[in-house]
Every structure is written in structure tokens, then in C-alpha cells.
């Protein structure tokens, strides 16, 4: 979906709903959009930004703001988000996802769906969460993931956030699929870590898709290839 302030005028403002590809950074997508728009319209400058980072290994809805709509980024960023997350129970990784290899295995024989239901219910509401070591949180002016990749441990402060809802979609063969509705600043990887600990086991993310930001839905998002075709046809 593409929304313009004025018909096809990117400088005046446009909002793009895009599906971030797997292994792309959010800035990869922003830079691709910026390059294509500048090339198409021969702009010397055009402002482009996104309203909420997705990890490279995540996919799903990314709001990209162009031109004067970059002033609305904070508004979109603050809206409630929905994710579909798949957790592997019984194993942990340092990054809490597939960026790093499994470092520990944990028992899972005691885990039942009823136990999971009870566990995830405890995370609904206002909670404290410590962001992952492998995250973009700044510590002493440096991104936390840079310390982590150098094997350095740093103190990362807990953040207060809100989990509005967690729904179990599927649980089979130690793979737990959840729908999570949460506030800005929530790290689903950290939630996976905390759910694993609460189950007296361990867990890490194997897949993550952002499906909603406020009233915007992944169903209305374009693939980057579709956006490029749209530009070519203008």
C-alpha cells in the first residue's frame, strides 16, 4: 500500500507499507527505496526513514515514510504492534535467535500446553524486560551488539513495556508459535528468552513476522519488487 499527501508526489509526503525480506536490515530496505525514488525523479535529496526496526532475521510489516511524512515517524513508531513468533523450546543461543549457534540444551519433558498457557499469561500487562546483548541498544555510546560480537559483557538496563496479549497458535515438537501484541520497544527475542526461563527450560526464536502496526496490516504490504514496478510505471 502507498499513501500520498498529493498525487504521486514523494517530496510532499508518502507512506509505504512494505514486507521486509528475510536477512535484509530495515535500513537496507530504506536505502533501496531512497535510491529508486531518487533515480526515478532525479531528486538530489529526498528524506526516507522507517517507523520501527525489524531484526535482519525477521520479516513483515515495515512502515517507510518519504518526504514530509518523515515527520510522522514518531507517531507511527509509538503504535501497538503485533507479531507472529516461533520459539524452539529446550535450546538457547547467545542472540536468542538463529544469528548464533545453540549454546545450551535444556529439558522439555515437563512442558505441556497447560503449563505454557499459565506461563505466557504471566507476561501479559506491564513488565520489565532486559534487552538482548545482541541488540541496537546503546551502552556508553556504543551499540550493545558490537560488545557482544567482541565477547564483551556489558550492563544493559531493564525497560518497562506492555504486553497486551499473547495467544498460543500452535505447540508441536517443542516448537511454540505465538501471536504477541505489544508496545513499542518490546524485544520478542528477549520475550522468548524469558518464556524459556519461566518454563524451567530454555528457548530461542526460529522465526518472527510483524503483522500489524496500529491499524496497518501486513496483508496490505507490498514486496519491494512490487514497489519498484510501481515506480517504473509512473
Amino acid at each position: 500500500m502507498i499513501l500520498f499527501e498529493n498525487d504521486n508526489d514523494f517530496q510532499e509526503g508518502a507512506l509505504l507499507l512494505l514486507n521486509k525480506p528475510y536477512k535484509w536490515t530495515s535500513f537496507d530496505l530504506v536505502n533501496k527505496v531512497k535510491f529508486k525514488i531518487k533515480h526515478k525523479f532525479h531528486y538530489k535529496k529526498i528524506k526516507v526513514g522507517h517507523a520501527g526496526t525489524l531484526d535482519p532475521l525477521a520479516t513483515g510489516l515495515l512502515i517507510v515514510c518519504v518526504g514530509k511524512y518523515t515527520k510522522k515517524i514518531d507517531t507511527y513508531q509509538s503504535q501497538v504492534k503485533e507479531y507472529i513468533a516461533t520459539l524452539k523450546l529446550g535450546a538457547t543461543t547467545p542472540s536468542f535467535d538463529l544469528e548464533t549457534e545453540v549454546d545450551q540444551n535444556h529439558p522439555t519433558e515437563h512442558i505441556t500446553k497447560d503449563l505454557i498457557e499459565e506461563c505466557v499469561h504471566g507476561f501479559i500487562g506491564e513488565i520489565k524486560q532486559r534487552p538482548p546483548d545482541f541488540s541496537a541498544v546503546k551502552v556508553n555510546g556504543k551499540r550493545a551488539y558490537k560488545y557482544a560480537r567482541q565477547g564483551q559483557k556489558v550492563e544493559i538496563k531493564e525497560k518497562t513495556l506492555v504486553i497486551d496479549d499473547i495467544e498460543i497458535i500452535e505447540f508441536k515438537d517443542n516448537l511454540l508459535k505465538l501471536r504477541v501484541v505489544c508496545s513499542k520497544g518490546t524485544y520478542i527475542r528477549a520475550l522468548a528468552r524469558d518464556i524459556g526461563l519461566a518454563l524451567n527450560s530454555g528457548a530461542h526464536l526460529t522465526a518472527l513476522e510483524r503483522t500489524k502496526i496500529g491499524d496497518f496490516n501486513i496483508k496490505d504490504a507490498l514486496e519491494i519488487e512490487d514497489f519498484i514496478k510501481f515506480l517504473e510505471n509512473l
Side-chain angles (χ1 to χ4, degrees):
M1 186 168 83
I2 305 173
L3 299 174
F4 287 97
E5 182 68 24
N6 290 321
D7 193 30
N8 295 341
D9 187 337
F10 284 98
Q11 291 284 19
E12 281 300 305
L15 180 145
L16 317 179
L17 300 186
L18 298 176
N19 183 14
K20 188 193 80 64
Y22 183 65
K23 291 192 175 179
W24 285 40
T25 69
S26 299
F27 281 108
D28 286 339
L29 197 53
V30 166
N31 289 336
K32 176 68 79 172
V33 168
K34 188 172 186 176
F35 173 80
K36 291 294 183 180
I37 291 174
K38 285 176 72 175
H39 180 74
K40 173 69 179 181
F41 297 101
H42 307 291
Y43 292 147
K44 287 186 177 180
K45 289 183 180 179
I46 182 78
K47 288 184 177 180
V48 184
H50 67 76
T53 304
L54 277 172
D55 289 335
L57 298 185
T59 62
L61 184 59
L62 193 75
I63 294 177
V64 176
C65 296
V66 184
K68 292 181 180 178
Y69 271 32
T70 53
K71 294 177 182 177
K72 300 183 178 187
I73 283 176
D74 286 346
T75 300
Y76 296 130
Q77 227 169 10
S78 65
Q79 294 182 348
V80 171
K81 299 170 179 68
E82 179 189 83
Y83 297 88
I84 303 298
T86 303
L87 286 62
K88 174 69 173 178
L89 304 184
T92 58
T93 72
S95 59
F96 313 147
D97 65 5
L98 296 178
E99 182 183 341
T100 52
E101 297 290 325
V102 170
D103 60 354
Q104 285 186 312
N105 290 293
H106 302 267
T108 57
E109 295 81 6
H110 63 288
I111 298 175
T112 62
K113 190 172 182 181
D114 286 343
L115 181 62
I116 294 169
E117 288 274 12
E118 182 182 340
C119 169
V120 299
H121 184 75
F123 287 94
I124 296 174
E126 185 175 283
I127 65 168
K128 297 278 189 182
Q129 185 186 78
R130 183 185 181 277
D133 292 338
F134 287 80
S135 69
V137 171
K138 282 191 174 180
V139 181
N140 300 322
K142 185 176 173 181
R143 301 292 185 185
Y145 67 79
K146 292 186 177 180
Y147 292 106
R149 286 171 184 162
Q150 293 167 356
Q152 299 178 40
K153 279 284 184 183
V154 291
E155 184 63 33
I156 301 177
K157 294 180 180 178
E158 289 185 334
K159 294 186 175 184
T160 301
L161 49 90
V162 176
I163 306 289
D164 293 289
D165 193 22
I166 304 180
E167 175 191 356
I168 297 172
I169 297 173
E170 188 178 16
F171 175 52
K172 185 178 180 182
D173 298 330
N174 288 329
L175 286 175
L176 174 61
K177 195 170 188 178
L178 301 173
R179 183 182 69 89
V180 181
V181 181
C182 57
S183 66
K184 170 189 174 183
T186 304
Y187 280 91
I188 306 298
R189 286 183 288 131
L191 181 63
R193 169 202 61 199
D194 295 340
I195 288 173
L197 288 170
L199 289 169
N200 291 315
S201 184
H204 66 278
L205 274 185
T206 59
L208 181 65
E209 181 187 27
R210 184 157 64 199
T211 48
K212 290 182 183 177
I213 301 173
D215 292 329
F216 297 115
N217 195 304
I218 186 63
K219 293 175 183 176
D220 299 316
L222 296 174
E223 302 297 330
I224 184 62
E225 296 84 3
D226 296 328
F227 173 69
I228 292 169
K229 287 177 184 175
F230 168 80
L231 282 181
E232 289 171 350
N233 291 329
L234 285 179

